[in-house]
Each structure stands twice: as C-alpha cells, then as structure tokens.
Amino acid sequence: MENVLECSNVTKRYGRKTALDGLNLTIPAGRIVGLLGPNGAGKTTLMKLIVSLLRDYKGTLTVSGMRPGLDTKKIVSYLPDREFLYPWMTIEESIAFFDHSFADFQREKAYSMIEALGLNLQDKVKSLSKGMRERVSLSLVFARKARLFVLDEPLAAVDPSTRDKIIGIILDNFDPDSSILISTHLIHDVESLFTDVVFVNDGKVLLQGRVEELRREHGMPIEDLFKRLI
Ligand SMILES: Nc1ncnc2c1ncn2[C@@H]1O[C@H](COP(=O)(O)OP(=O)(O)OP(=O)(O)O)[C@@H](O)[C@H]1O
C-alpha cells in the first residue's frame, strides 16, 4: 500500500520568514505519529499544507499519492488549532452538518463517541465548556473513515481523565489502513498513544522514529529525549 503521507524537501515561506525548510517526512499506513517541536517549529504550517489550507510551497507533498486539493480533502480528516463548531448548533445538529459535508462520515460512530464522552446530543455548542467542545470536535473528526487524520493540538483543553478516555477511544477505533498525525506539547500525557514520533525544529525534521526503538536506543522516555534534542 502506498504511503499515507510523503513530504520531500518541502519549503514554505511567509514573506521572508522560512517556516518549513526542506522538510522530509514519510508516514506509512497504520501509524499514530506525534509531531513534536517547540513554538514556531512549523507544525501548524505543515498541517495546513497537508490539508491544502496553504498552497504556495516548494518541494513535493502527497497524501495517498495525490497532491493536496479537493480529492485529498475527501480522505483527510482535520482538527484545526482553532474552534470550528458553530455555536448556535446543538451537538446533534453538528453531527448532521458533518454527515452532510463528508461522504465518509459514520453517524452511528459519532453518536457512540458522544455518549462515551458523557455529552448530551441536545446541548447547544455555545453552552459547552472549552473541554466539552474539544470532545465534540474530536468525536466529529474521528467519526470519518479517513485515510489520514491531522490533529493540531487536540487535547490541550480536556482534563487528564477525559484525555485518557479519548486516547482509549482513538486506539479502539484505529483502522490500520489509516494513519494519524498529532501535534502536541503534552508529550508525557499522550506518549502512550504514539507508534512513532517526529521531532521538528526550525522547519526541519531533527529525528523521526518508532517510539519503542527510540526509547530503547536512547534509554529514556520520549519527553526527556525531546528536552535533550530541542
Ligand atoms: N501567517 C503567517 N505569516 C507570517 N509568519 C507566519 C505565519 N504563520 C506562521 N508563521 C511563522 O512560521 C513559523 C512556524 O509557525 P507555525 O505556526 O507553523 O509553528 P508551530 O510549530 O505550529 O508553533 P506552535 O507550537 O506555537 O503552535 C513561525 O516562525 C511563525 O512565526
């Protein structure tokens, strides 16, 4: 099966600022990849290129062999770093909206995640706390049968026990034909989720590897390796 994501020598500039600087990254199917790096490393920029919110870049970037665009939007499920729910909708209406927007949306899966996360379908988005809205967003994003899930800082607002519950739901629902790319600063809290990690700094990949191998090779948890490298 072809790689879910391939980036070769990807460079993205905002005016004179270089956000990605010849970045190389390959993600095969079946991986849950932590995209780790300090503020300004280029994580959000990379994600925006993958989901084709930004188009002007140099190098080659493909999702399932295709350049980002309308066709890849059908197979990439994206959780942006800002809120995207409509405040006036109920959770149920938000589910219906996603159902209409994406052919691969699995309504029943959304309902069961909403229930598992203790949310009420009739509640209006604007009445929910930040952490609750994050739970709804994650349920919607993961209810798609996408090939690639791109999550920009998904777990920042939820409490630790909900975080563990969400990690459980992600793992239970993980389809090995797909891959998940997650940017986060909460390395310690979500390390158990990752099969792989990618360290980025100054728009470049510093180190990429399987979590088990990196832990064994360097004899330390991923968070300590991050602190040593960056
Ligand atoms: N619209 C923009 N215009 C100009 N510069 C930008 C723009 N967006 C990002 N940058 C710059 O590009 C670099 C990479 O930013 P990016 O948001 O991708 O980093 P990040 O790794 O996601 O950071 P954080 O962890 O803080 O979210 C930074 O130096 C940032 O200032």
Side-chain angles (χ1 to χ4, degrees):
M1 195 186 284
E2 71 207 332
N3 287 317
V4 174
L5 178 71
E6 281 184 21
C7 303
S8 170
N9 206 17
V10 171
T11 296
K12 168 68 192 168
R13 293 193 179 89
Y14 298 102
R16 274 188 295 163
K17 171 83 210 168
T18 301
L20 296 179
D21 188 9
L23 181 135
N24 295 301
L25 175 64
T26 298
I27 302 181
R31 306 292 177 89
I32 304 180
V33 182
L35 182 65
L36 313 176
N39 293 129
K43 303 179 296 295
T44 296
T45 301
L46 175 63
M47 290 184 155
K48 284 184 175 168
L49 289 180
I50 296 170
V51 301
S52 73
L53 279 178
L54 289 172
R55 285 162 179 274
D56 180 26
Y57 64 96
K58 294 214 167 68
T60 313
L61 193 161
T62 56
V63 178
S64 259
M66 298 178 281
R67 294 272 183 156
L70 285 179
D71 285 334
T72 60
K73 277 184 194 285
K74 294 177 191 157
I75 57 166
V76 178
S77 188
Y78 173 49
L79 182 78
D81 61 348
R82 47 169 177 81
E83 302 221 1
F84 62 88
L85 300 171
Y86 291 109
W88 63 87
M89 285 186 182
T90 62
I91 295 178
E92 191 163 35
E93 285 162 351
S94 307
I95 291 174
F97 180 72
F98 253 63
D99 197 17
H100 283 121
S101 304
F102 298 104
D104 62 358
F105 192 78
Q106 306 163 99
R107 217 178 162 117
E108 290 312 315
K109 199 165 175 180
Y111 282 133
S112 70
M113 279 191 274
I114 290 293
E115 197 189 331
L117 290 171
L119 297 160
N120 183 349
L121 285 172
Q122 300 315 323
D123 282 349
K124 283 226 191 282
V125 168
K126 66 180 170 203
S127 74
L128 303 174
S129 72
K130 196 161 184 259
M132 286 168 158
R133 291 196 299 275
E134 201 161 88
R135 289 186 230 178
V136 176
S137 305
L138 276 160
S139 303
L140 293 173
V141 166
F142 273 109
R144 286 186 58 194
K145 192 170 169 44
R147 184 96 207 282
L148 176 62
F149 295 86
V150 176
L151 315 180
D152 200 349
E153 281 286 331
L155 298 161
V158 295
D159 60 77
S161 74
T162 304
R163 198 174 295 150
D164 288 347
K165 208 182 244 183
I166 289 172
I167 290 175
I169 290 176
I170 295 175
L171 290 171
D172 286 349
N173 288 283
F174 184 56
D175 169 0
D177 287 341
S178 68
S179 279
I180 310 176
L181 181 64
I182 305 174
S183 76
T184 185
H185 294 288
L186 302 165
I187 305 175
H188 175 72
D189 298 348
V190 292
E191 199 176 315
S192 61
L193 181 61
F194 302 141
T195 60
D196 296 62
V197 283
V198 178
F199 294 96
V200 287
N201 199 11
D202 289 334
K204 292 191 185 72
V205 172
L206 289 186
L207 181 68
Q208 179 188 5
R210 306 284 280 180
V211 166
E212 289 301 315
E213 283 167 21
L214 289 172
R215 276 200 203 115
R216 206 173 36 236
E217 236 171 76
H218 297 272
M220 62 182 80
I222 296 300
E223 185 168 29
D224 294 353
L225 186 57
F226 178 83
K227 286 179 187 156
R228 181 170 287 198
L229 274 174
I230 290 171

